[in-house]
Amino acid sequence: MKVLIVTLGSRGDVQPYVALGKALSNRGHEVTICTCRTFEVFIKDNGIKYAHMNDGFVELLESDQGRDALNNLNGVWGGLKGMIKLLKKAGPIQRKTIADAWQATCSVRPDIIVSHAKTYWTEEFAATLGIPVVTAPLFPHIAPTKEFPFLGFPKLQLGGWYNKFTYSVVSFLQSRLGGKYVREWRKANGIKIRPEQIEPSAIMYGYSGHIAPVASDWPDRVVMTGFWFLDQQQAWKPPASLVSFLKEGPAPVYFGFGSMADKAAERKTKIIIEALSVLGLRGVIATGWGGLVAEKFPDTIYKLESAPHDWLFPKMAAIVHHGGAGTTGAALRSGKPNIICPFFGDQYFWGEQVANKKVGS
């Protein structure tokens, strides 16, 4: 089949779909990934076709305004306020992103669309073309259930009606906040779709049921496949200085917060350096998108921008990270303790699950 994968966000929102795309390609399917231009080379280097999408969302997330909004995505109300703030800034970007994704869809003419939960408008694309669409979330609690509320809502002891109601609230807010741009897309393309036509053919969670709950009342079209890992490529070679550092002493503690950049990065880095010094531990600090920064590090700390998790994590004593789904999966896979310092959204959920399973804190 011709498979179009549509995703949007940071590296953590793209890499799992590259892994999924490679697995599909290995099974004989023709795969194209449509996402931000920033990741074009990364996708092509993994042997997958790329379809254009503008970099507007990546640029917004890297801006001071975007970082401020992300830092306020705590809890239900903080999350809603932060999301509304982001959406107000992202209006023109969302309009252009939908147009780019639709152009890519028309160009590829796929037999099926697989999409990140953020790109909810692909359900309308699929309905327009009369093809199936699979929503493939990397975070939990998308499919409605009576057993637990939507991610971020308080776990109130009000029964199944409350839990299911939280999903309706989120669906309503999504239609109100993002529906304007979908309606504009419909009008611009002369498309009329009845609401009952818009529903994913399946929901496929890209993480493991061993770490996240599986609802007994989910229909058969909801499945949990396990994490989608992109193992290191043969072409990647670790820097000689990193190899030497790892050989010179005890296993270090890893610190990395991925794309969670904020204004407090220098203060957080200073705290990490001081904590390692007090404990007499060595460390590896991944600067990522600016989540950790310092002008100078002691010899007991190695600074890198990034490295494949499947290569690096097994060599660590422990892994301190932000709690993104992909990083959490990679850390669990390495068999090393997870220490999660969540910033927003599903990161709190993963931290809670890791603590509950007694594989970290």
Side-chain angles (χ1 to χ4, degrees):
M1 293 190 298
K2 294 176 74 174
V3 182
L4 176 65
I5 298 175
V6 185
T7 185
L8 178 64
S10 65
R11 174 72 175 245
D13 296 300
V14 175
Q15 183 163 312
Y17 296 98
V18 173
L20 177 64
K22 291 185 74 170
L24 290 169
S25 294
N26 291 338
R27 286 162 174 77
H29 302 294
E30 184 180 328
V31 181
T32 302
I33 295 180
C34 176
T35 193
C36 299
R37 185 173 60 241
T38 292
F39 304 104
E40 179 177 359
V41 173
F42 170 55
I43 290 166
K44 288 181 175 178
D45 282 349
N46 278 278
I48 300 174
K49 295 181 180 179
Y50 170 78
H52 172 77
M53 183 188 289
N54 69 83
D55 260 348
F57 273 104
V58 171
E59 292 167 358
L60 175 62
L61 292 175
E62 290 181 329
S63 69
D64 289 340
Q65 293 173 329
R67 291 173 181 177
D68 287 342
L70 287 176
N71 288 334
N72 290 317
L73 293 178
N74 298 326
V76 178
W77 300 116
L80 290 177
K81 285 194 294 185
M83 192 58 66
I84 290 170
K85 198 173 181 179
L86 268 179
L87 286 172
K88 284 181 179 178
K89 299 290 182 185
I93 299 172
Q94 190 166 188
R95 185 180 294 115
K96 182 69 167 66
T97 298
I98 293 173
D100 286 349
W102 175 240
Q103 184 174 354
T105 303
C106 292
S107 176
V108 173
R109 301 299 295 184
D111 299 307
I112 188 171
I113 297 175
V114 179
S115 67
H116 194 300
K118 292 178 183 177
T119 61
Y120 57 92
W121 19 265
T122 54
E123 295 176 11
E124 305 231 8
F125 293 0
T128 300
L129 298 175
I131 61 175
V133 58
V134 175
T135 299
L138 301 176
F139 50 87
H141 306 356
I142 294 296
T145 173
K146 294 180 179 179
E147 297 181 12
F148 39 80
F150 193 94
L151 184 68
F153 279 80
K155 297 176 182 177
L156 304 179
Q157 301 302 313
L158 298 175
W161 73 265
Y162 162 74
N163 290 334
K164 207 150 191 180
F165 175 70
T166 62
Y167 295 86
S168 300
V169 171
V170 173
S171 179
F172 172 77
L173 290 173
Q174 179 176 280
S175 66
R176 294 290 294 175
L177 295 172
K180 169 186 176 182
Y181 306 106
V182 175
R183 290 191 293 273
E184 287 181 1
W185 165 78
R186 286 183 195 156
K187 184 176 180 180
N189 292 276
I191 294 168
K192 295 181 180 180
I193 305 175
R194 296 192 306 274
E196 61 267 28
Q197 292 176 296
I198 305 171
E199 184 176 333
S201 306
I203 297 176
M204 181 175 67
Y205 287 111
Y207 53 83
S208 172
H210 292 294
I211 193 66
V214 179
S216 61
D217 60 343
W218 279 341
D220 290 342
R221 67 188 185 89
V222 179
V223 296
M224 199 174 285
T225 65
F227 289 99
W228 303 328
F229 293 116
L230 183 65
D231 291 332
Q232 63 173 306
Q233 297 181 345
Q234 296 288 335
W236 187 85
K237 300 294 182 184
S241 57
L242 174 58
V243 174
S244 296
F245 176 82
L246 294 175
K247 289 180 178 178
E248 286 169 358
V253 178
Y254 170 90
F255 291 85
F257 299 138
S259 59
M260 301 296 106
D262 63 44
K263 295 179 179 178
E266 290 186 16
R267 180 175 63 85
K268 290 176 181 175
T269 308
K270 183 179 178 182
I271 291 171
I272 291 170
I273 293 172
E274 290 177 353
L276 288 171
S277 176
V278 168
L279 295 171
L281 298 173
R282 304 195 323 145
V284 168
I285 289 182
T287 55
W289 281 16
L292 295 171
V293 289
E295 291 185 6
K296 187 177 181 181
F297 288 93
D299 294 340
T300 54
I301 296 176
Y302 185 92
K303 184 190 80 168
L304 54 77
E305 183 175 339
S306 64
H309 290 164
D310 63 309
W311 183 90
L312 184 65
F313 283 1
K315 298 172 175 61
M316 300 295 105
I319 300 157
V320 183
H321 61 96
H322 58 297
T327 308
T328 301
L332 290 170
R333 188 191 194 194
S334 73
K336 304 298 181 178
N338 268 262
I339 302 171
I340 294 180
C341 303
F343 286 67
F344 71 92
D346 63 322
Q347 296 166 10
Y348 289 93
F349 169 84
W350 296 118
E352 180 183 6
Q353 297 306 115
V354 162
N356 289 343
K357 300 292 184 181
K358 303 186 187 306
V359 290
S361 62

